[in-house]
Amino acid sequence: MNVLVYLLPIALSLGLLGLGAFLWSLKSGQYDDLDGAAVRILDDDDVRRN
Amino acid sequence: MSPAFDYSALVETRPDGVRHLDLVIEGITCAACIGDIERGLACLPELEKARLNYTNRRLAAEWRVADFDPMRVISRLAELGYKAHPFEPSREEEIEAAEMRFLLRCLAVAGFAAMNIMLLSVSVWSGNASDITEETRDFFHWISALIALPTAAYAGQPFFRNAFRAIRARSMTMDVPISLGVTLALGMSLYETIHHAHHAYFDSAVMLLFFLLLGRVLDQVMRRKTRAVAGNLLALRGETAVVLGDGGAAREVPLKAVRPGDRVLVLPGDRVSVDGIVLDGSSSVDASLVTGETAHAPVGPGALVYAGAVNLDGALTVQVTAAAEGTLLDEVNRLVETAANARSRYLRLADRAARIYSPIVHVTALATAIGWMLLGAGLHDALITAIAVLIITCPCALALAVPATQVVASGSLFRAGVLLQTGDAIERMAACDTIVFDKTGTLTTPEPRVVNAGEIAPDLLEAACRLALSSRHPLAAALAGQALGRSPFPGAREEAGHGVVAQLGPEPGAIEARLGSPTFCGAEAQATAALAGAPDATVIAVRVGERRAVMLMHQVLRPDAAAVVADLRRRGFRIAILSGDREQPVADAAQALGVDEWRSGLKPGGKIDALAAMAAQGRRVLMVGDGLNDAPALAAAHASISPVTAAHLAQSSADALFLGERLRPVADAVVLARTAHAVMRQNLGIAVVYNLIAVPLAIMGHVTPLIAAAAMSGSSIIVTLNALRARLPGREPEQGSPVSATPTRPFVSTQRPARAAP
């Protein structure tokens, strides 16, 4: 069962990575306008047509 | 005259030199508007950021250049077809936004920890039943402890803080047993881990935090949504005042920037936005929002005017005063304060439950420990069993029973057009058996209506409505609300204080159309004749060519008032009217609604006395009112609702606001409050039944961590599912429901005073 000694920390740090990503997105205001985010994605005017 | 609008009071300058202004945008109908607005503002190069929040219909504009005039943003938006109202987030809204972010962070941390610990715990549980080695179990327990302890220290803060505050105030809230349960569970688990035991309760403690935080976050989401709509509505009222400088220069400023001692100009047709003494000018005012009195009162130099009154005839210069002793405002403020103090003693259902629950649980745990020791068990085993009792009774379901219902019910009310302002509004409304209405602005529409439409030629009435679209006068705005999709006449212009003029038809031989005072339209004779029959009405005249007509404007009952009152009476409510208006109009309204219990001519104190008399008979009163004079009664009643058009002080004293022209939301609110209250009590019942089953098991020492986890999450889910029943029965949300973030109802716009044309 020695494999657990390094597998568990790896699994936990992956989880922590997810938690960190959520906290970052919260801090950068990505949850301030949920309705807006849902419709902004449909707007493709920022894509330049060649 | 169009005084320049002064935005400096609303622009926030950050330390890095960025200037920030928030605007509420009216007229956003679909997602395409986001692009329209943001690209449309790109032509202002000074603007560094212009981002629209589609959820709450607010635009954040930021720039650095000191002399950039934010008026350009507003006029650019006007070109694009959107109306923008400068807006300042209220202090409460900022605090709640910060609280929301904190709760979300706590929730995320607790969620992460709960999932990982559960992963380890499930391994231990299955290992305990098969062949886990002692080393592996200890290793898993230690890792669980490593995750759980910091998590509880961080994510438990909202509960620990409140619990600490409650203990210091020597009161009891649900947070106290929660904090105690979590702390003991962690402490015991750590002790057991050190001593290589089979069981640890880390997963229970963290899962409990996760569930409870979820409840609090949902509650906060609902509250923020309500608060944002209320804030937008306030911004749409756009209350400003025209302040006269020393040199006589006029500038329009947001209400917040007005100081006592300032001289404020109130043009005819404008709503008085400040309290003060008239220095100059004479006019008559419609003070129905202040006193409930529908007859107009003449004012001259020295007279007191209050915010909310409408200036009808002549320009007034008003000196702003703070609430001086002996004035109506002073009396109202004093009464509101007394009433609010009395009300804060109300004990919420959840806290009452906590008060009964905590002692019982803690005594049971103590008895368990003593009982086991008497039966010969060791101190360690006795204590472990006692703590298991505390963990299993940790009030997860109990603490979710009320908030979960609250969230579902306030969401349902929100869709019905009722904004809850206080946390205990539902509980208090549910207890009411008597509903007391104010008349003016509550049972009646806040703005007058044409009462003699039948006697006027339809084409003249239509012309009047279209002319009214070009005016800012409150009477005209009421008329414009009936224009129903017709467009204003091109080239129509307003002559301030007189009326609107437009030329109809092609240039040579155009017919002149006028809307305004009878003098302006040359219809004095007709006006005198019409007024003879209805002395309370206000007259507005229209002239097209040589044809003239006068319209009598009068406040009428809300369209569904009679139906709603009848419905409420059928449901067993006693209905009464307490009005500050004269006897005759109140008697008429009472008769039309079939209400026999009514009183007229009441002062603010009189309303409170009447409510106190009802309370003395054991009746619980729901007060519905809108005037400044209703504010004390709203604060004193067991529960209260205001229309969103109400005076400021009335709004802030009320438990809830209702939107729209109909009275229906009031009935919906009381009915739903009763349903929600029943569900809350039922939920508490479920929590008690859960404890009755779980506690004996815990006392006998049969509760393993697995049983604790299953029981706690099971009871929480049952309670939450049951809470979903607290909704209005069988009502689909209407298309274009009354609560869009920016309602474009005519009655809201009548509240808007003159705004300088760009």
Side-chain angles (χ1 to χ4, degrees), chain B residues 217-227 406-408 410-412 414:
Chain B
V217 166
L218 288 178
D219 190 34
Q220 194 74 11
V221 166
M222 199 57 234
R223 201 176 306 168
R224 275 193 74 197
K225 206 157 133 190
T226 313
R227 180 95 56 192
Q406 179 99 12
V407 170
V408 176
S410 55
S412 187
F414 184 80

Side-chain angles (χ1 to χ4, degrees), chain A residues 15 22 32-33 35 40 45, chain B residues 38-39 52-55 112:
Chain A
F22 175 79
D32 289 352
D33 180 15
D35 295 353
R40 271 174 202 274
D45 285 11
Chain B
E38 291 182 355
R39 275 191 297 276
L52 183 76
N53 185 324
Y54 188 62
T55 312
F112 160 81

Side-chain angles (χ1 to χ4, degrees), chain B residues 397-398 400-401 404-405 683 686-687 714-724:
Chain B
L398 207 56
L400 281 175
T405 317
N683 267 349
I686 292 176
S715 62
S716 303
I717 289 170
I718 292 175
V719 163
T720 310
L721 287 180
N722 191 41
L724 292 179

Side-chain angles (χ1 to χ4, degrees), chain B residues 188 192 368-369 372-373 376-388 701:
Chain B
M188 175 184 95
E192 293 285 273
T368 308
W372 276 105
M373 277 196 283
L379 179 66
H380 170 260
D381 287 347
L383 278 183
I384 294 284
T385 318
I387 292 174

